[in-house]
Amino acid sequence: MTGIKCCIKKDIKEVLRTGKLILFFALSLGIGVFIILFTFLFTNIPDELTSQLPGVDIEALEGMITQFYPRMVAQSVGVYSYYIGVFFSLVVIILTHNLLPKELKKGRWVLPIEQGYTRKDFVTSKCIVYGLLASVSVMTGYMIYFAVANTFMIRNFMTRQAFFYAFVQGLNMFFIIAFTLLLSVCFKHSIIGAISMIATVMVGPDILGVFSFGRYLPTHMLSMVYDSRGGFGELIGPLLLNILTLAFTYIWAVNKVEKLTVSRNA
């Protein structure tokens, strides 16, 4: 346990030193600001057109704007969750997909291994630190967005629901980063793992959601926060499958790094 604790402390310092923690929080808050500004901007367009062009049918335009930037809290936090799921995930996958391979390539594990640290310590620490910090940042961003949306939108979303979906969104981000880090050492080229995760996050919820069994797959956790629907009972199946898949991927990744040659000239 001493080894993993030291690795966690080292990775926390790394996240702070490289500014990644600030980036995580800035991105989660920036996405919220972007959506709120666009909501204010676009939802006033139909009223302006009605006053400027009386008699013109703008029902289709109004429906489209309402769909993309609704002024109801439940639907609006769903839009925020979708932007987090797509854009935030894309950024963090790109940022983290090469962390472990780069450390291996530069021989940064050599001295610690000689001092008694295990390769599993480095892999586990990265997943814990980056996964949890990104998770906390999106949970915080979600609750701040919910609080702001409550000040000017139609309130159709309770606080306890917001806490639940913020927690689910945090879990989503933890799994996304953990899978990205683990897959980066499972394949010869880390970009393969990154592309796999990007494809899963981008198209998985839409494609798999069409099928009845899709509600039991890990991607359904993303659909839940996008649609702001589904309770704890609906979360159990996808969460358990996510945990089992993560455990399998973790074992795979640890076995892979145990077989790799680590040298100062790597």
Side-chain angles (χ1 to χ4, degrees):
M1 290 300 293
T2 301
I4 187 65
K5 287 179 181 178
C6 291
C7 287
I8 287 175
K9 290 179 182 178
K10 185 269 293 183
D11 284 328
I12 290 175
K13 291 179 180 178
E14 175 186 292
V15 173
L16 294 173
R17 177 178 54 81
T18 57
K20 290 186 177 70
L21 181 60
I22 295 175
L23 176 63
F24 290 162
F25 277 100
L27 192 58
S28 65
L29 295 175
I31 288 173
V33 171
F34 172 84
I35 295 173
I36 287 174
L37 289 176
F38 270 68
T39 299
F40 273 118
L41 176 64
F42 286 112
T43 52
N44 291 326
I45 290 178
D47 293 334
E48 291 293 328
L49 289 177
T50 300
S51 61
Q52 297 293 329
L53 302 171
V56 176
D57 184 11
I58 59 168
E59 185 176 343
L61 175 62
E62 190 171 12
M64 183 180 68
I65 292 175
T66 301
Q67 179 182 358
F68 285 105
Y69 299 102
R71 298 199 70 157
M72 292 182 288
V73 176
Q75 287 73 21
S76 187
V77 293
V79 172
Y80 172 78
S81 298
Y82 178 79
Y83 276 63
I84 288 290
V86 174
F87 297 109
F88 188 99
S89 297
L90 179 62
V91 172
V92 296
I93 288 172
I94 293 173
L95 283 176
T96 59
H97 84 281
N98 200 35
L99 290 176
L100 289 172
K102 186 182 294 184
E103 288 189 352
L104 277 166
K105 187 178 295 184
K106 293 186 176 181
R108 293 177 181 173
W109 293 8
V110 177
L111 288 177
I113 289 175
E114 291 175 352
Q115 296 298 316
Y117 290 86
T118 66
R119 303 172 192 221
K120 182 170 67 174
D121 291 337
F122 304 122
V123 175
T124 305
S125 174
K126 277 285 191 295
C127 292
I128 291 174
V129 172
Y130 280 85
L132 284 181
L133 291 180
S135 175
V136 170
S137 69
V138 298
M139 289 171 65
T140 303
Y142 188 103
M143 292 309 301
I144 292 175
Y145 185 88
F146 167 74
V148 174
N150 259 326
T151 62
F152 70 96
M153 295 185 186
I154 299 172
R155 299 181 181 182
N156 62 340
F157 204 55
M158 292 183 286
T159 303
R160 68 171 182 268
Q161 291 176 298
F163 275 113
F164 173 73
Y165 289 111
F167 176 69
V168 176
Q169 185 73 313
L171 286 175
N172 286 332
M173 197 51 55
F174 178 85
F175 283 124
I176 288 170
I177 290 185
F179 278 120
T180 300
L181 288 166
L182 295 174
L183 290 174
S184 70
V185 293
C186 288
F187 298 103
K188 184 176 181 180
H189 301 289
S190 61
I191 192 65
I192 297 176
I195 292 173
S196 300
M197 286 307 303
I198 291 172
T200 300
V201 171
M202 297 294 181
V203 302
D206 293 330
I207 293 178
L208 298 176
V210 174
F211 304 99
S212 58
F213 60 82
R215 63 181 304 183
Y216 303 107
L217 299 178
T219 52
H220 186 65
M221 290 176 61
L222 289 168
S223 299
M224 287 178 64
V225 291
Y226 294 170
D227 300 333
S228 297
R229 63 170 178 79
F232 182 75
E234 195 168 323
L235 173 66
I236 295 176
L239 178 58
L240 289 176
L241 191 54
N242 248 323
I243 293 172
L244 289 174
T245 307
L246 184 65
F248 170 79
T249 309
Y250 175 78
I251 294 171
W252 181 17
V254 170
N255 287 334
K256 289 286 289 189
V257 296
E258 291 290 350
K259 296 175 182 177
L260 293 176
T261 301
V262 179
S263 65
R264 300 178 191 275
N265 298 320

